[in-house]
Structures are given as structure tokens and as C-alpha cells.
């Protein structure tokens, strides 16, 4: 077979420097080079994006390779195949002719094949007297042999990048899982830390993760998460070590008996102050005497105005749905765990639990453990000994006392009672006013 001399495409197809480069690379292939065509094709598939090839173009390349009878391709052999468009369409699963021509051009641009066009643009082979092929016009697949090592290197780089991307995604998943569960454990076990700040930091980092992102971006986010993971882990480990030391000291020291066995410790009650959240738990002892109606939203907001801070844009809270949404925002900021919140909603009802959260949020500066206090209220609600009325009335009483201390006197109290009365229907005004008066008349502890 004679050496192909066609270097330019037939018809109006232009000649480019990329075609010249592909032909130079094909001529430089060592004569003793040998490759497995399907192994090289697999490398080309893996490096498809780096090469700029399309999936349809690779389907055509697969068909072209199938027209060469040998599996092993040699550098000193002739590697021209001359199938017609009809034959290529059949082996390319019925690809339309226009699509076939477009993606053949892609293979040429990527340097995966070289056109060896005949004078009239037809593809054929001319045989000699002995039946051997003297001249062939069609597609030269010699770049498969010449660039085999290049394709292998590109494929390995792509595989390494995919592996690194998969690993960073695994890092993100594990870090997110660990941080969430460690925060919950810290809140549940009462580990001293600003868990609200930790949750906000976690949400800020996770919020940076886009739907699709390059690996370097995910690496940077993973490093931030791992730093937060280390911080949370250190807090938990320090607490565990401290508790072990305290346990050893108490085991070796003198036993001190509590002279008041009925009293509960601060950790058991879940509250640092007995009068936390503006209302004593003892106020709920006589639940049956409290009004049976639900608290109007206006009175709750009057008693817990801090909830308005949580509304985006500084707008008001117009209905219970917006109030529940504000409670969902307040809960993590106080360090109340999702499990404690779910138990409270189950025991009290969603609306009552949200009012309890609002009351705790109103006086959070006086509460050591908001989560523990909410669990205490949940236990009382489970036993049927809890109502949100005393909490809200106590907050209103504190507000009236503050107004009196500022010099407003009875006018401020009457104004607040009037504000509370305007948000309810006529038939419930007397009931709520009476409840508020009973709360005001009740002697406070220690007086």
C-alpha cells in the first residue's frame, strides 16, 4: 500500500493548523509502537471532556474502529478505513446524516482522526494485481496509536480528579453529620458552650455549598467545616475529661447528704433560676382554675415583644403561622435541641409550645439552660400541670411593674389592660382581665 499523500479536505472544508498538527503527530509515531485499540478508546472516553469530544463523536469513533479488522494497531501498518456514510449510520445506531457529518468534523478537530479525501471526495480503496491494497481514501485512525500515551495520561488525570471530588463530597457529608449530632449531644448533655453560635456558624458554612461546584471550592468549604468539627469535638472531649476528674474526686471524697431530699438540683430541674422566663413553675399548680380559652395572639406579643426582632425586614407578626415561624428561628438561637422542641410540641401542642419558647426567649438573659427549662415545662405538660397563661401573665405583670417604676403608675397599667382587651372578642375580655388581675393580686415569692 502506498503512502497517503492527501493532506487537505475535499470541497469547501477549510484547512486548519490543527489538521497540520494532527498529521505531524501521526507521522512521528514510532514504527514499533503497538496499542490495543479498545483500551485506547476507553482512555479517550474517560478523557472526553478534556479532549473536547462529544458523546456522539465517540459513538462514531467506536464505529470507525470496528471497521479495522485488527484489535492491535501497529505504528508501521496502514490505518485508513473507508466506510460509507450509510455503513457508519448503521453501526452508529441509526444516527441522522447531518448529525453524522457534524460529529465527524468534531473528531477531526479533536485530532482523533485524519481525513484522507480522494480527488472526488469518495471513500474507497484501490487494489493491486495481487489483491493487496495500494491506495485507500477515507479516515486515518493513526492518531489512536500516535497519541495513546497522551490519552492515557489525560484519562488518569480525569480519574484522579473524579476520585478527589468523590472524597471531598464524602468529607462534607461526614463533617455535616458529625457536627449536627455532636451539637445535639452537647445540648442534650448540658455541655457548657455557646451552642447557638455554633449552630449559626454551621449554617453559615453549609449555606456556601452550591448545587454544583468545582472541587477546589468544595475543598475550601470542607476545611471550614473540619475546623468547626475540631472546635465542637474539643468542647465535648474537654467536658468528658472534666466530668471524669470530678467523678474520681467525689468517689474518693467525703459523702455529703442533702438535708432537703425533695429539692432538685439545678441540672435536674433544667433551670438556673426558679423564676426563669418570667413565671414560677409553681404558678402552674392550679391549672384547672385558669381560663380554658387560648391566649389571643395580641396578648402574647404584648408580653413577648422580643419575638418581633426575629421577623425579617422588621415587619410585624400578623397571625399564628408567622408566630410559629418566629419560634422556629428563636429555638436554635437559644440552644434548644430539635428533640426537646419536638417533645414540647407533642406534649403541649404546637401553638402552646411556641408561646413557651417566646416566653423563654423574652427572658433568656435570666435562664442558664433554655433547653433544660423547656424540658421541665414539657414534663409538667405531660402530667397535665402546665399552662402558658401564668407565664404570659407574669411577663405582663413584670412589664406593668416596670412601667410603674418609670413613673407611669396606674395609667400605664390601664393602658396595657386596654391593649390586651382590644385584641380579643367582647365575650372574652372580662375573662382575660380577671385572669390578669388575679396574677397581679397574687403575692410574689419572697415578699
Amino acid at each position: 500500500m502506498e503512502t497517503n499523500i492527501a493532506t487537505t479536505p475535499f470541497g469547501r472544508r477549510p484547512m486548519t493548523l490543527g489538521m497540520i498538527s494532527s498529521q505531524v503527530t501521526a507521522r512521528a509515531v514510532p514504527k514499533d509502537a503497538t496499542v490495543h485499540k479498545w483500551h485506547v478508546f476507553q482512555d479517550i472516553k474517560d478523557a472526553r471532556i478534556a479532549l473536547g469530544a462529544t458523546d456522539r463523536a465517540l459513538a462514531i469513533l467506536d464505529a470507525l474502529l470496528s471497521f479495522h479488522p485488527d484489535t492491535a494497531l501497529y505504528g508501521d501498518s496502514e490505518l485508513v478505513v473507508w466506510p460509507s456514510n450509510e455503513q457508519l449510520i448503521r453501526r452508529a445506531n441509526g444516527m441522522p446524516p447531518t448529525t453524522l457529518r457534524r460529529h465527524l468534523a468534531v473528531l477531526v478537530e479533536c485530532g482523533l482522526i485524519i481525513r484522507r479525501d480522494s480527488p472526488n471526495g469518495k471513500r474507497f480503496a484501490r487494489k493491486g494485481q495481487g489483491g493487496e491494497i495500494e491506495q485507500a481514501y477515507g479516515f486515518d485512525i493513526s492518531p489512536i496509536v500516535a497519541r495513546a500515551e497522551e490519552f492515557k495520561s489525560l484519562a488518569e488525570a480525569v480519574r484522579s480528579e473524579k476520585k478527589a471530588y468523590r472524597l471531598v463530597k464524602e468529607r462534607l457529608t461526614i463533617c455535616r453529620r458529625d457536627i449536627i449530632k455532636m451539637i445535639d449531644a452537647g445540648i442534650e448533655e448540658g455541655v457548657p458552650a455557646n451552642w447557638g453560635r455554633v449552630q449559626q456558624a454551621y449554617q453559615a458554612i453549609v449555606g456556601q455549598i452550591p448545587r454544583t461546584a468545582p472541587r477546589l471550592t468544595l475543598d475550601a468549604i470542607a476545611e471550614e467545616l473540619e475546623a468547626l468539627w475540631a472546635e465542637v469535638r474539643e468542647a465535648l472531649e474537654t467536658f468528658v475529661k472534666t466530668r471524669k476528674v470530678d467523678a474520681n474526686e467525689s468517689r474518693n471524697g467525703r459523702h455529703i447528704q442533702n438535708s432537703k431530699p425533695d429539692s432538685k438540683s439545678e441540672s435536674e430541674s433544667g433551670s438556673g433560676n426558679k423564676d426563669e422566663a418570667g413565671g414560677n413553675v409553681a404558678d402552674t399548680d392550679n391549672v384547672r382554675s385558669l381560663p380554658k380559652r387560648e391566649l389571643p395572639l395580641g396578648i402574647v406579643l404584648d408580653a413577648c415583644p422580643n419575638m418581633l426582632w426575629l421577623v425579617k425586614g422588621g415587619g410585624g407578626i400578623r397571625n399564628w403561622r408567622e408566630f410559629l415561624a418566629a419560634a422556629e428561628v428563636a429555638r436554635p438561637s437559644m440552644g434548644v435541641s430539635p428533640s426537646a422542641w419536638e417533645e414540647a410540641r407533642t406534649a403541649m401542642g404546637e401553638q402552646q409550645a411556641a408561646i413557651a419558647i417566646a416566653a423563654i426567649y423574652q427572658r433568656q438573659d435570666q435562664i442558664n439552660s433554655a433547653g433544660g427549662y423547656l424540658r421541665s415545662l414539657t414534663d409538667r405538660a405531660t402530667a397535665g400541670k402546665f399552662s402558658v397563661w401564668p407565664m404570659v401573665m407574669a411577663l405582663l405583670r413584670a412589664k406593668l411593674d416596670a412601667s410603674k417604676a418609670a413613673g407611669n403608675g396606674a395609667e400605664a397599667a390601664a393602658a396595657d389592660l386596654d391593649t390586651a382587651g382590644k385584641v380579643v372578642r367582647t365575650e372574652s375580655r372580662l375573662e382575660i382581665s380577671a385572669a390578669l388581675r388575679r396574677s397581679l393580686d397574687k403575692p410574689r415569692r419572697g415578699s
Side-chain angles (χ1 to χ4, degrees):
M1 183 176 176
E2 297 179 0
T3 303
N4 293 297
I5 60 173
T7 58
T8 58
F10 172 77
R12 291 179 295 178
R13 299 189 188 96
M15 185 67 181
T16 64
L17 292 179
M19 295 180 185
I20 296 293
S21 176
S22 297
Q23 293 171 12
V24 171
T25 302
R27 284 200 302 267
V29 61
K31 299 300 181 182
D32 58 347
T34 304
V35 298
H36 191 295
K37 66 179 180 182
W38 299 121
H39 291 175
V40 179
F41 180 68
Q42 182 61 48
D43 292 338
I44 293 173
K45 287 198 297 184
D46 291 341
R48 174 178 65 84
I49 297 177
L51 292 171
T54 62
D55 53 350
R56 292 292 189 91
L58 294 187
I60 297 172
L61 180 60
D62 187 8
L64 287 174
L65 291 176
S66 69
F67 282 104
H68 195 281
D70 299 329
T71 300
L73 304 181
Y74 304 96
D76 58 352
S77 62
E78 299 300 337
L79 301 174
V80 177
V81 292
W82 54 93
S84 64
N85 283 355
E86 290 74 12
Q87 291 173 318
L88 276 176
I89 287 172
R90 281 198 297 270
R91 295 204 184 182
N93 302 319
M95 185 180 297
T98 54
T99 305
L100 176 70
R101 289 191 291 270
R102 185 168 65 253
H103 291 286
L104 278 171
V106 172
L107 290 176
V108 174
E109 291 173 5
C110 295
L112 298 175
I113 61 173
I114 299 173
R115 285 186 180 274
R116 303 294 187 186
D117 290 344
S118 66
N120 62 0
K122 302 294 183 180
R123 300 178 203 134
F124 62 89
R126 184 179 295 113
K127 296 182 180 180
Q129 293 181 354
E132 61 181 16
I133 297 175
E134 294 181 346
Q135 185 69 46
Y137 296 101
F139 300 106
D140 189 352
I141 58 175
S142 57
I144 300 297
V145 181
R147 301 177 61 187
E149 290 299 322
E150 176 190 349
F151 297 148
K152 184 177 181 180
S153 299
L154 285 174
E156 289 177 352
V158 170
R159 295 184 195 115
S160 298
E161 181 64 21
K162 286 183 178 179
K163 181 180 180 180
Y165 189 85
R166 184 174 64 254
L167 291 177
V168 73
K169 292 284 284 185
E170 291 176 358
R171 286 169 57 197
L172 285 173
T173 300
I174 292 174
C175 277
R176 293 177 68 175
R177 182 188 68 199
D178 285 359
I179 291 174
I180 290 174
K181 293 194 175 183
M182 286 194 296
I183 289 175
D184 284 346
I187 294 173
E188 294 286 346
E189 299 293 337
V191 178
N194 191 347
W195 296 114
R197 182 195 65 78
V198 175
Q199 287 179 323
Q200 291 175 357
Y202 169 76
Q203 292 296 339
I205 297 174
V206 172
Q208 302 175 17
I209 303 177
R211 186 176 298 275
T212 57
R215 180 180 59 84
L216 294 179
T217 301
L218 296 182
D219 272 330
I221 297 174
E223 289 178 0
E224 293 185 40
L225 275 178
E226 286 174 346
L228 182 62
W229 178 92
E231 179 183 345
V232 176
R233 183 77 179 183
E234 182 179 2
L236 296 181
E237 290 180 351
T238 302
F239 179 75
V240 170
K241 293 176 183 177
T242 304
R243 189 164 60 178
K244 285 183 178 179
V245 172
D246 294 342
N248 291 335
E249 291 178 354
S250 64
R251 187 180 300 113
N252 297 329
R254 179 182 175 184
H255 175 67
I256 300 176
Q257 183 175 0
N258 189 356
S259 60
K260 297 181 179 180
D262 293 336
S263 64
K264 291 186 178 182
S265 67
E266 179 179 319
S267 60
E268 291 174 333
S269 64
S271 58
N273 301 324
K274 291 183 179 181
D275 200 25
E276 288 175 346
N280 195 309
V281 175
D283 290 339
T284 64
D285 289 339
N286 194 11
V287 176
R288 294 182 180 178
S289 64
L290 295 173
K292 301 302 181 183
R293 293 181 179 274
E294 293 185 353
L295 272 167
L297 178 60
I299 289 183
V300 176
L301 292 177
D302 194 34
C304 310
N306 289 356
M307 292 294 285
L308 297 174
W309 301 348
L310 304 175
V311 180
K312 292 184 178 179
I317 296 177
R318 295 164 294 184
N319 49 53
W320 284 110
R321 180 176 56 81
E322 294 179 354
F323 184 80
L324 295 176
E328 289 285 356
V329 177
R331 176 193 64 77
S333 67
M334 295 187 296
V336 177
S337 66
S339 60
W341 173 235
E342 184 62 30
E343 291 173 5
R345 289 194 299 178
T346 302
M348 305 177 190
E350 192 170 34
Q351 185 171 310
Q352 303 297 313
I355 295 174
I357 284 288
I360 297 173
Y361 186 74
Q362 183 67 26
R363 292 297 178 86
Q364 62 176 327
D365 56 335
Q366 303 175 13
I367 298 175
N368 293 331
S369 174
Y373 187 71
L374 182 63
R375 287 188 182 279
S376 174
L377 298 182
T378 301
D379 293 340
R380 296 186 67 83
T382 304
K385 299 179 180 181
F386 172 74
S387 171
V388 293
W389 277 85
M391 299 180 71
V392 174
M393 294 301 117
L395 289 172
L396 286 175
R397 182 175 61 189
K399 186 176 180 181
L400 294 177
D401 290 345
S403 298
K404 290 178 181 178
N408 293 333
E411 292 80 7
D416 276 29
L417 281 172
D418 183 65
T419 301
K422 288 178 181 179
V423 298
V424 296
R425 296 178 301 176
T426 303
E427 60 268 21
S428 64
R429 290 177 180 170
L430 294 177
E431 183 179 323
I432 294 175
S433 298
L436 182 56
R437 290 194 198 96
R438 287 198 301 271
S439 178
L440 292 173
D441 294 340
K442 183 184 295 184
R444 277 181 272 174
R445 180 170 298 184
S447 61

